[in-house]
Short mmCIF file of all heavy atoms in Angstrom, two decimals:
data_model
loop_
_atom_site.label_atom_id
_atom_site.label_comp_id
_atom_site.label_asym_id
_atom_site.label_seq_id
_atom_site.Cartn_x
_atom_site.Cartn_y
_atom_site.Cartn_z
N LYS I 1455 -22.11 -8.11 2.64
CA LYS I 1455 -21.87 -6.92 1.83
C LYS I 1455 -20.72 -7.12 0.86
O LYS I 1455 -19.79 -7.89 1.12
CB LYS I 1455 -21.56 -5.72 2.74
CG LYS I 1455 -22.56 -5.51 3.88
CD LYS I 1455 -23.97 -5.24 3.36
CE LYS I 1455 -24.93 -5.01 4.54
NZ LYS I 1455 -26.34 -4.82 4.09
N LYS I 1456 -20.78 -6.43 -0.24
CA LYS I 1456 -19.72 -6.45 -1.22
C LYS I 1456 -18.62 -5.47 -0.80
O LYS I 1456 -18.88 -4.48 -0.12
CB LYS I 1456 -20.24 -6.09 -2.61
CG LYS I 1456 -21.27 -7.07 -3.16
CD LYS I 1456 -21.80 -6.64 -4.51
CE LYS I 1456 -22.86 -7.62 -5.02
NZ LYS I 1456 -23.41 -7.17 -6.34
N ALA I 1457 -17.41 -5.77 -1.25
CA ALA I 1457 -16.27 -4.92 -0.90
C ALA I 1457 -15.59 -4.43 -2.16
O ALA I 1457 -15.54 -5.13 -3.16
CB ALA I 1457 -15.29 -5.69 -0.01
N CYS I 1458 -15.06 -3.22 -2.09
CA CYS I 1458 -14.40 -2.62 -3.24
C CYS I 1458 -12.93 -3.07 -3.31
O CYS I 1458 -12.28 -3.27 -2.28
CB CYS I 1458 -14.44 -1.10 -3.15
SG CYS I 1458 -16.12 -0.41 -3.15
N GLN I 1459 -12.45 -3.20 -4.51
CA GLN I 1459 -11.07 -3.57 -4.73
C GLN I 1459 -10.12 -2.46 -4.32
O GLN I 1459 -10.34 -1.28 -4.65
CB GLN I 1459 -10.82 -3.89 -6.21
CG GLN I 1459 -11.56 -5.09 -6.73
CD GLN I 1459 -11.33 -5.31 -8.21
OE1 GLN I 1459 -10.53 -4.62 -8.85
NE2 GLN I 1459 -12.02 -6.29 -8.79
N PHE I 1460 -9.08 -2.85 -3.60
CA PHE I 1460 -7.93 -1.96 -3.39
C PHE I 1460 -6.70 -2.78 -3.75
O PHE I 1460 -6.24 -3.61 -2.98
CB PHE I 1460 -7.83 -1.45 -1.96
CG PHE I 1460 -6.79 -0.35 -1.83
CD1 PHE I 1460 -7.17 0.99 -1.79
CD2 PHE I 1460 -5.44 -0.65 -1.77
CE1 PHE I 1460 -6.21 2.01 -1.69
CE2 PHE I 1460 -4.47 0.35 -1.67
CZ PHE I 1460 -4.86 1.67 -1.64
N LYS I 1461 -6.18 -2.56 -4.96
CA LYS I 1461 -5.05 -3.31 -5.45
C LYS I 1461 -3.73 -2.67 -5.03
O LYS I 1461 -3.60 -1.44 -5.04
CB LYS I 1461 -5.10 -3.40 -6.99
CG LYS I 1461 -6.35 -4.08 -7.53
CD LYS I 1461 -6.34 -4.06 -9.05
CE LYS I 1461 -7.59 -4.72 -9.62
NZ LYS I 1461 -7.58 -4.69 -11.12
N ARG I 1462 -2.77 -3.51 -4.69
CA ARG I 1462 -1.49 -2.96 -4.26
C ARG I 1462 -0.80 -2.19 -5.37
O ARG I 1462 0.03 -1.31 -5.08
CB ARG I 1462 -0.58 -4.07 -3.72
CG ARG I 1462 -0.09 -5.06 -4.74
CD ARG I 1462 0.66 -6.20 -4.10
NE ARG I 1462 1.88 -5.79 -3.46
CZ ARG I 1462 2.68 -6.59 -2.72
NH1 ARG I 1462 2.30 -7.86 -2.54
NH2 ARG I 1462 3.79 -6.17 -2.19
N SER I 1463 -1.13 -2.46 -6.62
CA SER I 1463 -0.55 -1.72 -7.73
C SER I 1463 -0.89 -0.24 -7.66
O SER I 1463 -0.20 0.60 -8.24
CB SER I 1463 -0.97 -2.31 -9.08
OG SER I 1463 -2.39 -2.28 -9.23
N LEU I 1464 -1.98 0.11 -6.96
CA LEU I 1464 -2.35 1.52 -6.79
C LEU I 1464 -1.28 2.28 -5.99
O LEU I 1464 -1.21 3.51 -6.10
CB LEU I 1464 -3.70 1.63 -6.06
CG LEU I 1464 -4.94 1.14 -6.79
CD1 LEU I 1464 -6.14 1.16 -5.86
CD2 LEU I 1464 -5.22 2.02 -8.00
N LEU I 1465 -0.48 1.55 -5.26
CA LEU I 1465 0.54 2.18 -4.43
C LEU I 1465 1.79 2.53 -5.22
O LEU I 1465 2.76 3.06 -4.66
CB LEU I 1465 0.89 1.26 -3.24
CG LEU I 1465 -0.28 0.90 -2.33
CD1 LEU I 1465 0.15 -0.07 -1.27
CD2 LEU I 1465 -0.89 2.15 -1.68
N GLN I 1466 1.81 2.16 -6.48
CA GLN I 1466 2.87 2.54 -7.43
C GLN I 1466 4.26 2.24 -6.88
O GLN I 1466 4.62 1.09 -6.65
CB GLN I 1466 2.71 4.00 -7.83
CG GLN I 1466 1.36 4.29 -8.50
CD GLN I 1466 1.19 5.73 -8.89
OE1 GLN I 1466 2.08 6.36 -9.43
NE2 GLN I 1466 0.02 6.29 -8.60
N ASN I 1467 5.08 3.25 -6.64
CA ASN I 1467 6.46 3.03 -6.19
C ASN I 1467 6.56 2.39 -4.82
O ASN I 1467 7.63 1.94 -4.41
CB ASN I 1467 7.23 4.35 -6.18
CG ASN I 1467 7.46 4.90 -7.58
OD1 ASN I 1467 7.36 4.16 -8.58
ND2 ASN I 1467 7.73 6.19 -7.69
N CYS I 1468 5.45 2.37 -4.09
CA CYS I 1468 5.42 1.76 -2.76
C CYS I 1468 4.65 0.43 -2.75
O CYS I 1468 4.25 -0.03 -1.69
CB CYS I 1468 4.82 2.72 -1.74
SG CYS I 1468 5.90 4.13 -1.32
N SER I 1469 4.42 -0.14 -3.92
CA SER I 1469 3.67 -1.38 -4.00
C SER I 1469 4.49 -2.61 -3.74
O SER I 1469 3.96 -3.68 -3.45
CB SER I 1469 3.01 -1.48 -5.39
OG SER I 1469 4.01 -1.65 -6.39
N GLY I 1470 5.80 -2.48 -3.89
CA GLY I 1470 6.67 -3.64 -3.75
C GLY I 1470 6.73 -4.50 -4.97
O GLY I 1470 7.30 -5.60 -4.94
N ILE I 1471 6.13 -4.03 -6.06
CA ILE I 1471 6.11 -4.81 -7.32
C ILE I 1471 7.37 -4.54 -8.13
O ILE I 1471 8.14 -5.45 -8.42
CB ILE I 1471 4.84 -4.48 -8.12
CG1 ILE I 1471 3.60 -4.87 -7.33
CG2 ILE I 1471 4.87 -5.20 -9.46
CD1 ILE I 1471 2.28 -4.43 -7.99
N GLU I 1472 7.61 -3.26 -8.48
CA GLU I 1472 8.82 -2.94 -9.23
C GLU I 1472 10.04 -2.88 -8.34
O GLU I 1472 11.14 -3.27 -8.76
CB GLU I 1472 8.63 -1.60 -9.96
CG GLU I 1472 7.56 -1.64 -11.07
CD GLU I 1472 7.50 -0.33 -11.83
OE1 GLU I 1472 8.34 0.57 -11.58
OE2 GLU I 1472 6.62 -0.22 -12.69
N ASP I 1473 9.88 -2.40 -7.15
CA ASP I 1473 10.97 -2.36 -6.17
C ASP I 1473 10.58 -3.22 -4.96
O ASP I 1473 9.87 -2.76 -4.08
CB ASP I 1473 11.26 -0.92 -5.73
CG ASP I 1473 12.36 -0.86 -4.68
OD1 ASP I 1473 13.01 -1.88 -4.40
OD2 ASP I 1473 12.58 0.24 -4.11
N PRO I 1474 11.03 -4.47 -4.92
CA PRO I 1474 10.64 -5.39 -3.84
C PRO I 1474 11.13 -4.96 -2.46
O PRO I 1474 10.69 -5.51 -1.46
CB PRO I 1474 11.31 -6.72 -4.24
CG PRO I 1474 11.61 -6.60 -5.70
CD PRO I 1474 11.87 -5.15 -5.93
N THR I 1475 12.01 -3.94 -2.40
CA THR I 1475 12.50 -3.49 -1.10
C THR I 1475 11.77 -2.25 -0.58
O THR I 1475 12.12 -1.70 0.45
CB THR I 1475 14.02 -3.18 -1.15
OG1 THR I 1475 14.23 -1.98 -1.92
CG2 THR I 1475 14.79 -4.33 -1.76
N PHE I 1476 10.77 -1.79 -1.34
CA PHE I 1476 9.95 -0.63 -0.91
C PHE I 1476 10.81 0.61 -0.64
O PHE I 1476 10.46 1.44 0.20
CB PHE I 1476 9.12 -0.96 0.33
CG PHE I 1476 8.15 -2.09 0.13
CD1 PHE I 1476 8.48 -3.37 0.51
CD2 PHE I 1476 6.90 -1.87 -0.43
CE1 PHE I 1476 7.58 -4.41 0.34
CE2 PHE I 1476 5.99 -2.90 -0.61
CZ PHE I 1476 6.34 -4.19 -0.22
N GLY I 1477 11.93 0.72 -1.34
CA GLY I 1477 12.80 1.88 -1.18
C GLY I 1477 13.79 1.79 -0.05
O GLY I 1477 14.69 2.65 0.07
N TYR I 1478 13.70 0.77 0.78
CA TYR I 1478 14.59 0.68 1.95
C TYR I 1478 16.05 0.47 1.55
O TYR I 1478 16.96 0.96 2.22
CB TYR I 1478 14.11 -0.44 2.88
CG TYR I 1478 12.90 -0.06 3.68
CD1 TYR I 1478 11.64 -0.08 3.10
CD2 TYR I 1478 13.00 0.37 5.00
CE1 TYR I 1478 10.50 0.30 3.81
CE2 TYR I 1478 11.89 0.75 5.74
CZ TYR I 1478 10.64 0.70 5.12
OH TYR I 1478 9.53 1.09 5.84
N SER I 1479 16.25 -0.23 0.44
CA SER I 1479 17.64 -0.47 -0.01
C SER I 1479 18.29 0.81 -0.52
O SER I 1479 19.51 0.86 -0.70
CB SER I 1479 17.66 -1.54 -1.11
OG SER I 1479 16.93 -1.09 -2.25
N LYS I 1480 17.50 1.85 -0.79
CA LYS I 1480 18.03 3.11 -1.28
C LYS I 1480 17.98 4.21 -0.23
O LYS I 1480 18.33 5.36 -0.50
CB LYS I 1480 17.21 3.57 -2.51
CG LYS I 1480 17.16 2.54 -3.63
CD LYS I 1480 16.19 2.98 -4.71
CE LYS I 1480 16.04 1.92 -5.80
NZ LYS I 1480 15.05 2.31 -6.83
N GLY I 1481 17.50 3.87 0.96
CA GLY I 1481 17.35 4.89 1.99
C GLY I 1481 16.17 5.80 1.75
O GLY I 1481 16.12 6.94 2.26
N GLN I 1482 15.20 5.31 0.96
CA GLN I 1482 13.97 6.06 0.66
C GLN I 1482 12.75 5.20 1.03
O GLN I 1482 12.03 4.72 0.16
CB GLN I 1482 13.93 6.42 -0.82
CG GLN I 1482 15.11 7.27 -1.27
CD GLN I 1482 15.09 7.55 -2.76
OE1 GLN I 1482 14.50 6.82 -3.54
NE2 GLN I 1482 15.71 8.64 -3.17
N PRO I 1483 12.50 5.02 2.30
CA PRO I 1483 11.49 4.05 2.74
C PRO I 1483 10.05 4.47 2.47
O PRO I 1483 9.72 5.66 2.45
CB PRO I 1483 11.73 3.96 4.26
CG PRO I 1483 12.29 5.29 4.62
CD PRO I 1483 13.15 5.69 3.43
N CYS I 1484 9.22 3.47 2.25
CA CYS I 1484 7.78 3.65 2.13
C CYS I 1484 7.11 3.28 3.46
O CYS I 1484 7.48 2.27 4.09
CB CYS I 1484 7.20 2.77 1.03
SG CYS I 1484 7.63 3.28 -0.64
N ILE I 1485 6.16 4.07 3.87
CA ILE I 1485 5.35 3.81 5.04
C ILE I 1485 3.89 3.79 4.61
O ILE I 1485 3.45 4.66 3.86
CB ILE I 1485 5.54 4.88 6.14
CG1 ILE I 1485 7.01 5.04 6.49
CG2 ILE I 1485 4.71 4.57 7.38
CD1 ILE I 1485 7.62 3.85 7.18
N LEU I 1486 3.15 2.78 5.07
CA LEU I 1486 1.72 2.68 4.73
C LEU I 1486 0.88 3.19 5.90
O LEU I 1486 1.13 2.85 7.07
CB LEU I 1486 1.34 1.24 4.41
CG LEU I 1486 2.15 0.56 3.31
CD1 LEU I 1486 1.69 -0.89 3.13
CD2 LEU I 1486 2.01 1.32 2.00
N LEU I 1487 -0.13 4.01 5.58
CA LEU I 1487 -1.05 4.51 6.60
C LEU I 1487 -2.43 3.87 6.41
O LEU I 1487 -2.90 3.73 5.28
CB LEU I 1487 -1.20 6.03 6.48
CG LEU I 1487 0.07 6.88 6.62
CD1 LEU I 1487 -0.29 8.35 6.57
CD2 LEU I 1487 0.85 6.55 7.87
N LYS I 1488 -3.03 3.51 7.52
CA LYS I 1488 -4.36 2.88 7.49
C LYS I 1488 -5.22 3.48 8.58
O LYS I 1488 -4.81 3.57 9.74
CB LYS I 1488 -4.23 1.37 7.72
CG LYS I 1488 -5.55 0.61 7.64
CD LYS I 1488 -5.33 -0.88 7.77
CE LYS I 1488 -5.04 -1.28 9.20
NZ LYS I 1488 -6.24 -1.18 10.07
N MET I 1489 -6.41 3.92 8.21
CA MET I 1489 -7.38 4.41 9.21
C MET I 1489 -8.04 3.24 9.92
O MET I 1489 -8.30 2.19 9.30
CB MET I 1489 -8.45 5.28 8.55
CG MET I 1489 -8.02 6.69 8.25
SD MET I 1489 -9.42 7.80 7.96
CE MET I 1489 -10.01 7.26 6.36
N ASN I 1490 -8.31 3.40 11.20
CA ASN I 1490 -9.04 2.40 11.94
C ASN I 1490 -10.45 2.23 11.38
O ASN I 1490 -11.07 3.19 10.93
CB ASN I 1490 -9.14 2.78 13.42
CG ASN I 1490 -7.79 2.77 14.10
OD1 ASN I 1490 -6.80 2.27 13.55
ND2 ASN I 1490 -7.73 3.32 15.30
N ARG I 1491 -10.93 0.99 11.42
CA ARG I 1491 -12.27 0.72 10.92
C ARG I 1491 -13.33 1.10 11.95
O ARG I 1491 -13.23 0.73 13.13
CB ARG I 1491 -12.43 -0.77 10.58
CG ARG I 1491 -11.48 -1.26 9.50
CD ARG I 1491 -11.69 -2.75 9.26
NE ARG I 1491 -10.78 -3.27 8.24
CZ ARG I 1491 -10.77 -4.52 7.82
NH1 ARG I 1491 -11.60 -5.41 8.37
NH2 ARG I 1491 -9.92 -4.92 6.90
N ILE I 1492 -14.33 1.83 11.50
CA ILE I 1492 -15.44 2.21 12.37
C ILE I 1492 -16.75 1.89 11.62
O ILE I 1492 -16.96 2.42 10.52
CB ILE I 1492 -15.41 3.69 12.74
CG1 ILE I 1492 -14.07 4.04 13.44
CG2 ILE I 1492 -16.59 4.06 13.61
CD1 ILE I 1492 -13.90 5.51 13.72
N ILE I 1493 -17.58 1.04 12.18
CA ILE I 1493 -18.79 0.62 11.49
C ILE I 1493 -19.72 1.80 11.23
O ILE I 1493 -20.02 2.58 12.13
CB ILE I 1493 -19.53 -0.44 12.34
CG1 ILE I 1493 -18.70 -1.70 12.45
CG2 ILE I 1493 -20.88 -0.77 11.73
CD1 ILE I 1493 -19.31 -2.79 13.32
N GLY I 1494 -20.10 1.95 9.96
CA GLY I 1494 -21.03 2.98 9.57
C GLY I 1494 -20.44 4.36 9.38
O GLY I 1494 -21.15 5.28 8.94
#
């Protein structure tokens, strides 16, 4: 099966691109949430 792109740039301020510390150095941390995979 083909898979859809999910680019980290979509996460904007939490992508780690512009701010490599994900806000931790400023006391403004980013947390990523992921749903468990369930077939179908």
Side-chain angles (χ1 to χ4, degrees):
K1455 309 300 182 183
K1456 297 178 181 179
C1458 298
Q1459 295 177 5
F1460 189 100
K1461 300 178 180 179
R1462 68 187 294 175
S1463 59
L1464 293 172
L1465 301 176
Q1466 300 180 44
N1467 293 340
C1468 288
S1469 66
I1471 298 173
E1472 293 185 5
D1473 178 8
T1475 70
F1476 299 96
Y1478 284 79
S1479 64
K1480 304 173 184 177
Q1482 300 177 336
C1484 289
I1485 305 293
L1486 304 178
L1487 302 184
K1488 182 177 75 72
M1489 281 198 287
N1490 293 348
R1491 298 179 181 182
I1492 301 175
I1493 295 177

